[in-house]
PDB file of all heavy atoms in Angstrom:
ATOM      1  N   ASN A  16     110.874 106.968  88.947  1.00 98.00           N
ATOM      2  CA  ASN A  16     110.950 105.542  88.630  1.00 98.00           C
ATOM      3  C   ASN A  16     111.673 105.280  87.311  1.00 98.00           C
ATOM      4  O   ASN A  16     111.553 104.206  86.730  1.00 98.00           O
ATOM      5  CB  ASN A  16     109.530 104.958  88.562  1.00 98.00           C
ATOM      6  CG  ASN A  16     109.479 103.452  88.755  1.00 98.00           C
ATOM      7  OD1 ASN A  16     110.262 102.895  89.512  1.00 98.00           O
ATOM      8  ND2 ASN A  16     108.548 102.796  88.071  1.00 98.00           N
ATOM      9  N   THR A  17     112.442 106.270  86.854  1.00 98.00           N
ATOM     10  CA  THR A  17     113.075 106.183  85.537  1.00 98.00           C
ATOM     11  C   THR A  17     113.969 104.956  85.397  1.00 98.00           C
ATOM     12  O   THR A  17     113.883 104.222  84.409  1.00 98.00           O
ATOM     13  CB  THR A  17     113.899 107.453  85.251  1.00 98.00           C
ATOM     14  OG1 THR A  17     113.032 108.594  85.273  1.00 98.00           O
ATOM     15  CG2 THR A  17     114.584 107.367  83.895  1.00 98.00           C
ATOM     16  N   PHE A  18     114.853 104.737  86.375  1.00 97.00           N
ATOM     17  CA  PHE A  18     115.803 103.633  86.274  1.00 97.00           C
ATOM     18  C   PHE A  18     115.127 102.272  86.367  1.00 97.00           C
ATOM     19  O   PHE A  18     115.543 101.317  85.709  1.00 97.00           O
ATOM     20  CB  PHE A  18     116.865 103.746  87.378  1.00 97.00           C
ATOM     21  CG  PHE A  18     118.078 104.542  86.981  1.00 97.00           C
ATOM     22  CD1 PHE A  18     117.997 105.541  86.028  1.00 97.00           C
ATOM     23  CD2 PHE A  18     119.315 104.302  87.561  1.00 97.00           C
ATOM     24  CE1 PHE A  18     119.113 106.275  85.663  1.00 97.00           C
ATOM     25  CE2 PHE A  18     120.443 105.022  87.200  1.00 97.00           C
ATOM     26  CZ  PHE A  18     120.343 106.017  86.248  1.00 97.00           C
ATOM     27  N   ALA A  19     114.100 102.158  87.177  1.00 98.00           N
ATOM     28  CA  ALA A  19     113.455 100.854  87.379  1.00 98.00           C
ATOM     29  C   ALA A  19     112.510 100.488  86.241  1.00 98.00           C
ATOM     30  O   ALA A  19     112.431  99.327  85.850  1.00 98.00           O
ATOM     31  CB  ALA A  19     112.708 100.833  88.705  1.00 98.00           C
ATOM     32  N   THR A  20     111.787 101.472  85.725  1.00 98.00           N
ATOM     33  CA  THR A  20     110.715 101.312  84.734  1.00 98.00           C
ATOM     34  C   THR A  20     109.493 100.632  85.358  1.00 98.00           C
ATOM     35  O   THR A  20     109.625  99.940  86.380  1.00 98.00           O
ATOM     36  CB  THR A  20     111.135 100.504  83.481  1.00 98.00           C
ATOM     37  OG1 THR A  20     111.084  99.090  83.761  1.00 98.00           O
ATOM     38  CG2 THR A  20     112.506 100.885  82.991  1.00 98.00           C
ATOM     39  N   PRO A  21     108.320 100.783  84.732  1.00 98.00           N
ATOM     40  CA  PRO A  21     107.125 100.102  85.255  1.00 98.00           C
ATOM     41  C   PRO A  21     107.217  98.578  85.181  1.00 98.00           C
ATOM     42  O   PRO A  21     106.451  97.882  85.847  1.00 98.00           O
ATOM     43  CB  PRO A  21     105.998 100.616  84.338  1.00 98.00           C
ATOM     44  CG  PRO A  21     106.535 101.826  83.669  1.00 98.00           C
ATOM     45  CD  PRO A  21     108.010 101.624  83.569  1.00 98.00           C
ATOM     46  N   ILE A  22     108.138  98.072  84.384  1.00 98.00           N
ATOM     47  CA  ILE A  22     108.291  96.623  84.260  1.00 98.00           C
ATOM     48  C   ILE A  22     108.868  96.034  85.541  1.00 98.00           C
ATOM     49  O   ILE A  22     108.491  94.944  85.968  1.00 98.00           O
ATOM     50  CB  ILE A  22     109.195  96.273  83.052  1.00 98.00           C
ATOM     51  CG1 ILE A  22     108.641  96.886  81.756  1.00 98.00           C
ATOM     52  CG2 ILE A  22     109.357  94.760  82.922  1.00 98.00           C
ATOM     53  CD1 ILE A  22     107.200  96.487  81.419  1.00 98.00           C
ATOM     54  N   ASN A  23     109.784  96.755  86.170  1.00 98.00           N
ATOM     55  CA  ASN A  23     110.472  96.243  87.358  1.00 98.00           C
ATOM     56  C   ASN A  23     109.891  96.728  88.676  1.00 98.00           C
ATOM     57  O   ASN A  23     110.060  96.055  89.698  1.00 98.00           O
ATOM     58  CB  ASN A  23     111.955  96.635  87.312  1.00 98.00           C
ATOM     59  CG  ASN A  23     112.717  95.913  86.219  1.00 98.00           C
ATOM     60  OD1 ASN A  23     112.371  94.797  85.842  1.00 98.00           O
ATOM     61  ND2 ASN A  23     113.747  96.550  85.695  1.00 98.00           N
ATOM     62  N   GLN A  24     109.239  97.890  88.676  1.00 98.00           N
ATOM     63  CA  GLN A  24     108.821  98.489  89.943  1.00 98.00           C
ATOM     64  C   GLN A  24     107.618  99.400  89.734  1.00 98.00           C
ATOM     65  O   GLN A  24     107.591 100.179  88.775  1.00 98.00           O
ATOM     66  CB  GLN A  24     110.002  99.291  90.501  1.00 98.00           C
ATOM     67  CG  GLN A  24     109.775  99.998  91.813  1.00 98.00           C
ATOM     68  CD  GLN A  24     111.071 100.607  92.322  1.00 98.00           C
ATOM     69  OE1 GLN A  24     111.820  99.989  93.066  1.00 98.00           O
ATOM     70  NE2 GLN A  24     111.367 101.847  91.920  1.00 98.00           N
ATOM     71  N   ASN A  25     106.660  99.335  90.639  1.00 98.00           N
ATOM     72  CA  ASN A  25     105.466 100.183  90.573  1.00 98.00           C
ATOM     73  C   ASN A  25     105.281 100.920  91.897  1.00 98.00           C
ATOM     74  O   ASN A  25     104.633 100.421  92.819  1.00 98.00           O
ATOM     75  CB  ASN A  25     104.225  99.356  90.244  1.00 98.00           C
ATOM     76  CG  ASN A  25     104.318  98.669  88.897  1.00 98.00           C
ATOM     77  OD1 ASN A  25     104.427  97.457  88.806  1.00 98.00           O
ATOM     78  ND2 ASN A  25     104.276  99.457  87.831  1.00 98.00           N
ATOM     79  N   PRO A  26     105.838 102.116  92.024  1.00 98.00           N
ATOM     80  CA  PRO A  26     105.809 102.857  93.291  1.00 98.00           C
ATOM     81  C   PRO A  26     104.410 103.143  93.834  1.00 98.00           C
ATOM     82  O   PRO A  26     104.229 103.212  95.048  1.00 98.00           O
ATOM     83  CB  PRO A  26     106.545 104.154  92.948  1.00 98.00           C
ATOM     84  CG  PRO A  26     107.487 103.765  91.855  1.00 98.00           C
ATOM     85  CD  PRO A  26     106.708 102.790  91.036  1.00 98.00           C
ATOM     86  N   LEU A  27     103.435 103.336  92.952  1.00 98.00           N
ATOM     87  CA  LEU A  27     102.081 103.623  93.439  1.00 98.00           C
ATOM     88  C   LEU A  27     101.545 102.469  94.275  1.00 98.00           C
ATOM     89  O   LEU A  27     100.847 102.685  95.276  1.00 98.00           O
ATOM     90  CB  LEU A  27     101.137 103.906  92.267  1.00 98.00           C
ATOM     91  CG  LEU A  27     101.471 105.127  91.393  1.00 98.00           C
ATOM     92  CD1 LEU A  27     100.461 105.255  90.269  1.00 98.00           C
ATOM     93  CD2 LEU A  27     101.505 106.408  92.221  1.00 98.00           C
ATOM     94  N   ALA A  28     101.886 101.258  93.887  1.00 98.00           N
ATOM     95  CA  ALA A  28     101.442 100.076  94.636  1.00 98.00           C
ATOM     96  C   ALA A  28     102.147  99.967  95.980  1.00 98.00           C
ATOM     97  O   ALA A  28     101.685  99.238  96.868  1.00 98.00           O
ATOM     98  CB  ALA A  28     101.697  98.815  93.813  1.00 98.00           C
ATOM     99  N   LEU A  29     103.249 100.710  96.133  1.00 98.00           N
ATOM    100  CA  LEU A  29     104.019 100.677  97.379  1.00 98.00           C
ATOM    101  C   LEU A  29     103.704 101.868  98.283  1.00 98.00           C
ATOM    102  O   LEU A  29     104.325 102.039  99.327  1.00 98.00           O
ATOM    103  CB  LEU A  29     105.515 100.657  97.060  1.00 98.00           C
ATOM    104  CG  LEU A  29     106.000  99.419  96.290  1.00 98.00           C
ATOM    105  CD1 LEU A  29     107.409  99.639  95.755  1.00 98.00           C
ATOM    106  CD2 LEU A  29     105.947  98.178  97.172  1.00 98.00           C
ATOM    107  N   GLY A  30     102.751 102.706  97.854  1.00 98.00           N
ATOM    108  CA  GLY A  30     102.321 103.808  98.700  1.00 98.00           C
ATOM    109  C   GLY A  30     102.628 105.202  98.189  1.00 98.00           C
ATOM    110  O   GLY A  30     102.230 106.189  98.802  1.00 98.00           O
ATOM    111  N   ALA A  31     103.336 105.319  97.070  1.00 98.00           N
ATOM    112  CA  ALA A  31     103.639 106.641  96.517  1.00 98.00           C
ATOM    113  C   ALA A  31     102.370 107.285  95.968  1.00 98.00           C
ATOM    114  O   ALA A  31     101.409 106.602  95.608  1.00 98.00           O
ATOM    115  CB  ALA A  31     104.692 106.527  95.419  1.00 98.00           C
ATOM    116  N   ASP A  32     102.390 108.618  95.887  1.00 98.00           N
ATOM    117  CA  ASP A  32     101.255 109.366  95.341  1.00 98.00           C
ATOM    118  C   ASP A  32     101.460 109.730  93.877  1.00 98.00           C
ATOM    119  O   ASP A  32     100.520 109.749  93.093  1.00 98.00           O
ATOM    120  CB  ASP A  32     101.035 110.655  96.148  1.00 98.00           C
ATOM    121  CG  ASP A  32     100.695 110.382  97.593  1.00 98.00           C
ATOM    122  OD1 ASP A  32      99.645 109.760  97.836  1.00 98.00           O
ATOM    123  OD2 ASP A  32     101.480 110.767  98.482  1.00 98.00           O
ATOM    124  N   ILE A  33     102.701 110.034  93.533  1.00 98.00           N
ATOM    125  CA  ILE A  33     103.061 110.412  92.166  1.00 98.00           C
ATOM    126  C   ILE A  33     104.288 109.610  91.750  1.00 98.00           C
ATOM    127  O   ILE A  33     105.261 109.510  92.502  1.00 98.00           O
ATOM    128  CB  ILE A  33     103.395 111.914  92.059  1.00 98.00           C
ATOM    129  CG1 ILE A  33     102.169 112.790  92.335  1.00 98.00           C
ATOM    130  CG2 ILE A  33     103.998 112.242  90.692  1.00 98.00           C
ATOM    131  CD1 ILE A  33     101.158 112.846  91.224  1.00 98.00           C
ATOM    132  N   VAL A  34     104.239 109.021  90.563  1.00 98.00           N
ATOM    133  CA  VAL A  34     105.416 108.369  90.006  1.00 98.00           C
ATOM    134  C   VAL A  34     105.764 109.102  88.718  1.00 98.00           C
ATOM    135  O   VAL A  34     104.883 109.461  87.933  1.00 98.00           O
ATOM    136  CB  VAL A  34     105.174 106.862  89.741  1.00 98.00           C
ATOM    137  CG1 VAL A  34     103.986 106.633  88.828  1.00 98.00           C
ATOM    138  CG2 VAL A  34     106.417 106.207  89.154  1.00 98.00           C
ATOM    139  N   LEU A  35     107.052 109.377  88.519  1.00 98.00           N
ATOM    140  CA  LEU A  35     107.446 110.108  87.317  1.00 98.00           C
ATOM    141  C   LEU A  35     108.561 109.383  86.578  1.00 98.00           C
ATOM    142  O   LEU A  35     109.305 108.586  87.149  1.00 98.00           O
ATOM    143  CB  LEU A  35     107.833 111.544  87.642  1.00 98.00           C
ATOM    144  CG  LEU A  35     109.023 111.859  88.544  1.00 98.00           C
ATOM    145  CD1 LEU A  35     110.330 111.840  87.754  1.00 98.00           C
ATOM    146  CD2 LEU A  35     108.843 113.221  89.191  1.00 98.00           C
ATOM    147  N   HIS A  36     108.648 109.695  85.285  1.00 98.00           N
ATOM    148  CA  HIS A  36     109.662 109.096  84.411  1.00 98.00           C
ATOM    149  C   HIS A  36     110.256 110.150  83.490  1.00 98.00           C
ATOM    150  O   HIS A  36     109.527 111.019  82.989  1.00 98.00           O
ATOM    151  CB  HIS A  36     109.053 108.012  83.511  1.00 98.00           C
ATOM    152  CG  HIS A  36     108.568 106.805  84.210  1.00 98.00           C
ATOM    153  ND1 HIS A  36     109.362 105.704  84.431  1.00 98.00           N
ATOM    154  CD2 HIS A  36     107.353 106.510  84.743  1.00 98.00           C
ATOM    155  CE1 HIS A  36     108.659 104.779  85.068  1.00 98.00           C
ATOM    156  NE2 HIS A  36     107.441 105.242  85.273  1.00 98.00           N
ATOM    157  N   SER A  37     111.553 110.047  83.256  1.00 98.00           N
ATOM    158  CA  SER A  37     112.125 110.668  82.079  1.00 98.00           C
ATOM    159  C   SER A  37     111.873 109.682  80.953  1.00 98.00           C
ATOM    160  O   SER A  37     112.557 108.659  80.842  1.00 98.00           O
ATOM    161  CB  SER A  37     113.624 110.910  82.256  1.00 98.00           C
ATOM    162  OG  SER A  37     114.174 111.352  81.029  1.00 98.00           O
ATOM    163  N   ALA A  38     110.881 109.966  80.129  1.00 98.00           N
ATOM    164  CA  ALA A  38     110.486 109.039  79.063  1.00 98.00           C
ATOM    165  C   ALA A  38     111.543 108.933  77.980  1.00 98.00           C
ATOM    166  O   ALA A  38     111.525 107.991  77.171  1.00 98.00           O
ATOM    167  CB  ALA A  38     109.155 109.482  78.458  1.00 98.00           C
ATOM    168  N   SER A  39     112.480 109.878  77.972  1.00 98.00           N
ATOM    169  CA  SER A  39     113.583 109.852  77.006  1.00 98.00           C
ATOM    170  C   SER A  39     114.455 108.623  77.186  1.00 98.00           C
ATOM    171  O   SER A  39     115.194 108.250  76.270  1.00 98.00           O
ATOM    172  CB  SER A  39     114.464 111.100  77.173  1.00 98.00           C
ATOM    173  OG  SER A  39     113.715 112.247  77.458  1.00 98.00           O
ATOM    174  N   LYS A  40     114.382 108.007  78.357  1.00 98.00           N
ATOM    175  CA  LYS A  40     115.256 106.894  78.699  1.00 98.00           C
ATOM    176  C   LYS A  40     114.613 105.556  78.303  1.00 98.00           C
ATOM    177  O   LYS A  40     114.424 105.276  77.136  1.00 98.00           O
ATOM    178  CB  LYS A  40     115.596 106.941  80.197  1.00 98.00           C
ATOM    179  CG  LYS A  40     116.050 108.318  80.681  1.00 98.00           C
ATOM    180  CD  LYS A  40     117.272 108.825  79.952  1.00 98.00           C
ATOM    181  CE  LYS A  40     117.899 110.054  80.599  1.00 98.00           C
ATOM    182  NZ  LYS A  40     117.057 111.248  80.642  1.00 98.00           N
ATOM    183  N   TYR A  41     114.254 104.738  79.280  1.00 98.00           N
ATOM    184  CA  TYR A  41     113.787 103.378  78.985  1.00 98.00           C
ATOM    185  C   TYR A  41     112.446 103.330  78.263  1.00 98.00           C
ATOM    186  O   TYR A  41     112.222 102.449  77.432  1.00 98.00           O
ATOM    187  CB  TYR A  41     113.688 102.560  80.275  1.00 98.00           C
ATOM    188  CG  TYR A  41     115.016 102.085  80.782  1.00 98.00           C
ATOM    189  CD1 TYR A  41     115.662 102.756  81.813  1.00 98.00           C
ATOM    190  CD2 TYR A  41     115.654 100.982  80.223  1.00 98.00           C
ATOM    191  CE1 TYR A  41     116.896 102.334  82.288  1.00 98.00           C
ATOM    192  CE2 TYR A  41     116.883 100.551  80.683  1.00 98.00           C
ATOM    193  CZ  TYR A  41     117.499 101.230  81.718  1.00 98.00           C
ATOM    194  OH  TYR A  41     118.725 100.802  82.170  1.00 98.00           O
ATOM    195  N   LEU A  42     111.536 104.237  78.572  1.00 98.00           N
ATOM    196  CA  LEU A  42     110.215 104.152  77.948  1.00 98.00           C
ATOM    197  C   LEU A  42     110.335 104.234  76.437  1.00 98.00           C
ATOM    198  O   LEU A  42     109.821 103.389  75.709  1.00 98.00           O
ATOM    199  CB  LEU A  42     109.283 105.246  78.488  1.00 98.00           C
ATOM    200  CG  LEU A  42     108.933 105.176  79.975  1.00 98.00           C
ATOM    201  CD1 LEU A  42     107.871 106.213  80.324  1.00 98.00           C
ATOM    202  CD2 LEU A  42     108.451 103.785  80.382  1.00 98.00           C
ATOM    203  N   GLY A  43     111.010 105.269  75.945  1.00 98.00           N
ATOM    204  CA  GLY A  43     111.232 105.381  74.499  1.00 98.00           C
ATOM    205  C   GLY A  43     112.223 104.338  74.016  1.00 98.00           C
ATOM    206  O   GLY A  43     112.006 103.663  73.014  1.00 98.00           O
ATOM    207  N   GLY A  44     113.346 104.246  74.704  1.00 98.00           N
ATOM    208  CA  GLY A  44     114.290 103.160  74.480  1.00 98.00           C
ATOM    209  C   GLY A  44     115.182 103.259  73.263  1.00 98.00           C
ATOM    210  O   GLY A  44     116.003 102.370  73.026  1.00 98.00           O
ATOM    211  N   HIS A  45     115.063 104.339  72.466  1.00 98.00           N
ATOM    212  CA  HIS A  45     115.865 104.427  71.248  1.00 98.00           C
ATOM    213  C   HIS A  45     116.626 105.749  71.129  1.00 98.00           C
ATOM    214  O   HIS A  45     117.196 106.045  70.070  1.00 98.00           O
ATOM    215  CB  HIS A  45     114.974 104.228  70.018  1.00 98.00           C
ATOM    216  CG  HIS A  45     114.443 102.833  69.902  1.00 98.00           C
ATOM    217  ND1 HIS A  45     113.380 102.382  70.665  1.00 98.00           N
ATOM    218  CD2 HIS A  45     114.830 101.776  69.150  1.00 98.00           C
ATOM    219  CE1 HIS A  45     113.137 101.112  70.372  1.00 98.00           C
ATOM    220  NE2 HIS A  45     114.009 100.725  69.462  1.00 98.00           N
ATOM    221  N   ALA A  46     116.634 106.541  72.191  1.00 97.00           N
ATOM    222  CA  ALA A  46     117.413 107.783  72.235  1.00 97.00           C
ATOM    223  C   ALA A  46     117.070 108.731  71.089  1.00 97.00           C
ATOM    224  O   ALA A  46     117.947 109.452  70.590  1.00 97.00           O
ATOM    225  CB  ALA A  46     118.911 107.460  72.239  1.00 97.00           C
ATOM    226  N   ASP A  47     115.796 108.736  70.691  1.00 97.00           N
ATOM    227  CA  ASP A  47     115.409 109.603  69.579  1.00 97.00           C
ATOM    228  C   ASP A  47     114.219 110.503  69.910  1.00 97.00           C
ATOM    229  O   ASP A  47     113.648 111.136  69.017  1.00 97.00           O
ATOM    230  CB  ASP A  47     115.098 108.767  68.330  1.00 97.00           C
ATOM    231  CG  ASP A  47     113.999 107.727  68.561  1.00 97.00           C
ATOM    232  OD1 ASP A  47     113.418 107.688  69.669  1.00 97.00           O
ATOM    233  OD2 ASP A  47     113.715 106.945  67.625  1.00 97.00           O
ATOM    234  N   ALA A  48     113.837 110.575  71.177  1.00 98.00           N
ATOM    235  CA  ALA A  48     112.699 111.414  71.558  1.00 98.00           C
ATOM    236  C   ALA A  48     112.852 111.874  73.004  1.00 98.00           C
ATOM    237  O   ALA A  48     113.184 111.078  73.882  1.00 98.00           O
ATOM    238  CB  ALA A  48     111.387 110.643  71.394  1.00 98.00           C
ATOM    239  N   LEU A  49     112.606 113.159  73.232  1.00 98.00           N
ATOM    240  CA  LEU A  49     112.608 113.713  74.587  1.00 98.00           C
ATOM    241  C   LEU A  49     111.188 113.719  75.142  1.00 98.00           C
ATOM    242  O   LEU A  49     110.230 113.992  74.409  1.00 98.00           O
ATOM    243  CB  LEU A  49     113.124 115.156  74.579  1.00 98.00           C
ATOM    244  CG  LEU A  49     114.630 115.388  74.528  1.00 98.00           C
ATOM    245  CD1 LEU A  49     114.908 116.874  74.345  1.00 98.00           C
ATOM    246  CD2 LEU A  49     115.296 114.892  75.801  1.00 98.00           C
ATOM    247  N   GLY A  50     111.067 113.434  76.438  1.00 98.00           N
ATOM    248  CA  GLY A  50     109.748 113.505  77.054  1.00 98.00           C
ATOM    249  C   GLY A  50     109.801 113.149  78.521  1.00 98.00           C
ATOM    250  O   GLY A  50     110.766 112.553  79.006  1.00 98.00           O
ATOM    251  N   GLY A  51     108.776 113.532  79.241  1.00 98.00           N
ATOM    252  CA  GLY A  51     108.614 113.175  80.641  1.00 98.00           C
ATOM    253  C   GLY A  51     107.154 112.889  80.909  1.00 98.00           C
ATOM    254  O   GLY A  51     106.280 113.300  80.141  1.00 98.00           O
ATOM    255  N   VAL A  52     106.868 112.194  81.999  1.00 98.00           N
ATOM    256  CA  VAL A  52     105.484 111.848  82.311  1.00 98.00           C
ATOM    257  C   VAL A  52     105.351 111.597  83.803  1.00 98.00           C
ATOM    258  O   VAL A  52     106.301 111.134  84.446  1.00 98.00           O
ATOM    259  CB  VAL A  52     105.040 110.600  81.498  1.00 98.00           C
ATOM    260  CG1 VAL A  52     105.861 109.378  81.854  1.00 98.00           C
ATOM    261  CG2 VAL A  52     103.553 110.331  81.639  1.00 98.00           C
ATOM    262  N   ILE A  53     104.183 111.953  84.361  1.00 98.00           N
ATOM    263  CA  ILE A  53     103.868 111.594  85.738  1.00 98.00           C
ATOM    264  C   ILE A  53     102.547 110.835  85.759  1.00 98.00           C
ATOM    265  O   ILE A  53     101.693 111.018  84.876  1.00 98.00           O
ATOM    266  CB  ILE A  53     103.773 112.810  86.679  1.00 98.00           C
ATOM    267  CG1 ILE A  53     102.520 113.641  86.361  1.00 98.00           C
ATOM    268  CG2 ILE A  53     105.028 113.649  86.640  1.00 98.00           C
ATOM    269  CD1 ILE A  53     102.031 114.495  87.502  1.00 98.00           C
ATOM    270  N   CYS A  54     102.374 109.976  86.760  1.00 98.00           N
ATOM    271  CA  CYS A  54     101.132 109.220  86.938  1.00 98.00           C
ATOM    272  C   CYS A  54     100.729 109.298  88.406  1.00 98.00           C
ATOM    273  O   CYS A  54     101.573 109.465  89.284  1.00 98.00           O
ATOM    274  CB  CYS A  54     101.312 107.753  86.569  1.00 98.00           C
ATOM    275  SG  CYS A  54     101.974 107.451  84.935  1.00 98.00           S
ATOM    276  N   GLY A  55      99.437 109.128  88.654  1.00 98.00           N
ATOM    277  CA  GLY A  55      98.940 109.117  90.021  1.00 98.00           C
ATOM    278  C   GLY A  55      97.434 109.210  90.056  1.00 98.00           C
ATOM    279  O   GLY A  55      96.761 108.856  89.081  1.00 98.00           O
ATOM    280  N   SER A  56      96.897 109.706  91.150  1.00 98.00           N
ATOM    281  CA  SER A  56      95.453 109.886  91.257  1.00 98.00           C
ATOM    282  C   SER A  56      95.013 111.009  90.324  1.00 98.00           C
ATOM    283  O   SER A  56      95.786 111.924  90.005  1.00 98.00           O
ATOM    284  CB  SER A  56      95.061 110.224  92.692  1.00 98.00           C
ATOM    285  OG  SER A  56      95.518 111.519  93.045  1.00 98.00           O
ATOM    286  N   LYS A  57      93.767 110.954  89.899  1.00 98.00           N
ATOM    287  CA  LYS A  57      93.236 111.987  89.006  1.00 98.00           C
ATOM    288  C   LYS A  57      93.315 113.360  89.662  1.00 98.00           C
ATOM    289  O   LYS A  57      93.664 114.358  89.019  1.00 98.00           O
ATOM    290  CB  LYS A  57      91.790 111.655  88.640  1.00 98.00           C
ATOM    291  CG  LYS A  57      91.186 112.585  87.602  1.00 98.00           C
ATOM    292  CD  LYS A  57      89.781 112.149  87.223  1.00 98.00           C
ATOM    293  CE  LYS A  57      89.201 113.087  86.166  1.00 98.00           C
ATOM    294  NZ  LYS A  57      87.805 112.698  85.805  1.00 98.00           N
ATOM    295  N   LYS A  58      93.038 113.421  90.950  1.00 98.00           N
ATOM    296  CA  LYS A  58      93.037 114.691  91.678  1.00 98.00           C
ATOM    297  C   LYS A  58      94.412 115.354  91.654  1.00 98.00           C
ATOM    298  O   LYS A  58      94.534 116.555  91.359  1.00 98.00           O
ATOM    299  CB  LYS A  58      92.594 114.452  93.125  1.00 98.00           C
ATOM    300  CG  LYS A  58      92.554 115.709  93.974  1.00 98.00           C
ATOM    301  CD  LYS A  58      92.112 115.380  95.397  1.00 98.00           C
ATOM    302  CE  LYS A  58      92.101 116.625  96.287  1.00 98.00           C
ATOM    303  NZ  LYS A  58      91.690 116.297  97.675  1.00 98.00           N
ATOM    304  N   LEU A  59      95.461 114.590  91.950  1.00 98.00           N
ATOM    305  CA  LEU A  59      96.809 115.158  91.979  1.00 98.00           C
ATOM    306  C   LEU A  59      97.339 115.453  90.582  1.00 98.00           C
ATOM    307  O   LEU A  59      97.963 116.493  90.352  1.00 98.00           O
ATOM    308  CB  LEU A  59      97.763 114.212  92.715  1.00 98.00           C
ATOM    309  CG  LEU A  59      97.542 114.045  94.218  1.00 98.00           C
ATOM    310  CD1 LEU A  59      98.553 113.052  94.785  1.00 98.00           C
ATOM    311  CD2 LEU A  59      97.640 115.379  94.946  1.00 98.00           C
ATOM    312  N   VAL A  60      97.095 114.545  89.649  1.00 98.00           N
ATOM    313  CA  VAL A  60      97.603 114.726  88.287  1.00 98.00           C
ATOM    314  C   VAL A  60      96.959 115.945  87.625  1.00 98.00           C
ATOM    315  O   VAL A  60      97.622 116.692  86.896  1.00 98.00           O
ATOM    316  CB  VAL A  60      97.377 113.454  87.446  1.00 98.00           C
ATOM    317  CG1 VAL A  60      97.665 113.715  85.965  1.00 98.00           C
ATOM    318  CG2 VAL A  60      98.269 112.322  87.956  1.00 98.00           C
TER     319      VAL A  60
END
C-alpha cells in the first residue's frame, strides 16, 4: 500500500490479510529515514 498510503486506501477493509509499506516513502515523507512496516491480524503479524 506504499503508493496509496493509509490516507487514500485501506486494504484490510477490502479483504486483505496483510498490508505493507515502505515507510521510507510517504509515511516518513522527508527522505531522511529508511524503514518498512506490515499490519494485519495479531496472529499473522
Side-chain angles (χ1 to χ4, degrees):
N16 202 34
T17 300
F18 270 28
T20 81
I22 304 304
N23 291 331
Q24 180 173 269
N25 299 111
L27 298 179
L29 297 167
D32 298 297
I33 294 285
V34 56
L35 63 83
H36 293 269
S37 172
S39 322
K40 312 301 191 297
Y41 283 100
L42 296 187
H45 292 78
D47 57 4
L49 280 173
V52 63
I53 70 157
C54 306
S56 69
K57 186 176 181 182
K58 180 180 178 181
L59 292 179
V60 170

